Amino acid sequence: MTAWLAEQMLVYGSFGILAAVLLLPAMEAALPVVGALLPGQTAVVLTALVGAVLGNLAGYAIGSRWKERLMARMTSRSRHRRVTERALGLIERRGGGAVFVGRFTAVLRTLVPTLCGATRMPLRRYLLWSVLSSAVWAPAFVLIGYVMGPAGPG
């Protein structure tokens, strides 16, 4: 999956990178709706868990592969340079905690995997925190959709 995603990004350039970084988390955010519409909560939770981990791995691979290009763009303005350097320092100091908290915050859910790849956080450590946070996050979002389901249309 990661090789295919990287190939697509090479074909589509910057637009491919932007689409991968922004659209994958957007699809994750739709999970409460999926939980309300589909029967079989266990299958939905497992699908959400696998999707969350794969999405995180894709972001990690993007950050690891295109660190220089991403950092050049993020630090091209002096305002962004300071914020980016602070964020990278935080990831390096508290990487596991950042992965866990980032899973539950919309903006961080997109950025943290890429920054973890860019800082070369060890993949095993990153994967451990990604699976742990996704194992809490997936059932919580599916449960929200399940509870909200009766309030939906029809």
Side-chain angles (χ1 to χ4, degrees):
M1 164 101 179
T2 305
W4 176 85
L5 187 60
E7 181 181 315
Q8 297 306 310
M9 283 184 255
L10 288 175
V11 171
Y12 295 109
S14 297
F15 179 74
I17 293 171
L18 181 66
V21 169
L22 296 178
L23 290 179
L24 286 173
M27 290 188 291
E28 287 178 340
L31 282 176
V33 175
V34 173
L37 299 176
L38 292 178
Q41 290 77 21
T42 303
V44 175
V45 169
L46 289 176
T47 302
L49 176 64
V50 170
V53 172
L54 289 178
N56 274 356
L57 285 175
Y60 182 92
I62 289 167
S64 181
R65 172 85 164 97
W66 287 290
K67 175 185 179 179
E68 288 77 23
R69 184 185 293 177
L70 291 170
M71 291 300 116
R73 285 193 175 193
M74 292 174 78
T75 60
S76 63
R77 298 185 185 125
S78 62
R79 184 185 76 174
H80 293 290
R81 182 179 308 123
R82 192 179 63 186
V83 171
T84 302
E85 288 172 359
R86 273 184 72 190
L88 289 172
L90 183 65
I91 295 286
E92 288 173 352
R93 286 189 314 275
R94 304 187 194 280
V99 173
F100 194 87
V101 171
R103 168 57 51 197
F104 296 91
T105 310
V107 174
L108 294 178
R109 188 169 42 243
T110 305
L111 294 176
V112 167
T114 305
L115 291 176
C116 286
T119 60
R120 304 285 196 250
M121 175 188 269
L123 183 59
R124 284 186 184 189
R125 181 174 176 213
Y126 175 75
L127 191 57
L128 170 72
W129 283 100
S130 177
V131 170
L132 285 174
S133 64
S134 297
V136 174
W137 176 82
F141 264 62
V142 172
L143 182 62
I144 291 168
Y146 180 76
V147 170
M148 291 176 57

